[in-house]
Amino acid sequence: MRRASHLATALLHAAARHHIRAATGYLDQLLTTLKGLDICPTTVSATAAGTCLSSREREVLAGLSQGHSNAQIAARLFISEDTVKTHTQRLYRKLGARDRAHAVAKAFRGGLLT
């Protein structure tokens, strides 16, 4: 998985070097492909990382933004607290965040939350 993530990051950097613009659809197509492979580059903006978030990760992010605890999020989504922790760690990695507050701030700035 780590090797695939490095490959994805290298592809994004190559695209940037060759001036492939998001408007042409290449970057969107690449991010869609990476999402299908469950690979999300860690060196892109929160907006681009949002493309890689699963629907469950978005639900957990919404719970974090509302100040809910892991237990509250777990009860609301009918999943275990350990599963919430797993989703939270993946959110941190995908958004490049250190903690809950940082993840929520990045999500708001990136337009993932309103």
Side-chain angles (χ1 to χ4, degrees):
M1 182 65 150
R2 179 168 283 233
R3 185 178 174 142
S5 181
H6 290 297
L7 175 61
T9 302
L11 287 170
L12 287 173
H13 285 288
R17 281 194 303 271
H18 288 58
H19 308 288
I20 297 174
R21 306 261 191 274
T24 65
Y26 290 118
L27 184 57
D28 293 336
Q29 194 173 24
L30 176 60
L31 288 171
T32 301
T33 302
L34 295 176
K35 183 178 180 182
L37 297 172
D38 195 27
I39 300 168
C40 189
T42 57
T43 59
V44 295
S45 70
T47 304
T51 306
C52 294
L53 296 182
S54 70
S55 59
R56 187 60 90 178
E57 288 167 343
R58 288 176 184 274
E59 291 171 335
V60 170
L61 182 59
L64 296 177
S65 72
Q66 295 166 1
H68 296 306
S69 68
N70 286 353
Q72 291 170 318
I73 295 169
R76 186 174 180 187
L77 299 178
F78 303 103
I79 57 178
S80 73
E81 283 186 62
D82 286 337
T83 303
V84 173
K85 289 178 188 178
T86 298
H87 287 308
T88 303
Q89 290 300 316
R90 288 180 182 166
L91 282 167
Y92 294 168
R93 180 177 47 84
K94 290 179 179 182
L95 295 174
R98 299 179 300 273
D99 54 36
R100 288 173 176 254
H102 193 210
V104 169
K106 285 189 144 210
F108 273 112
R109 275 187 256 135
L112 300 175
L113 294 169
T114 55

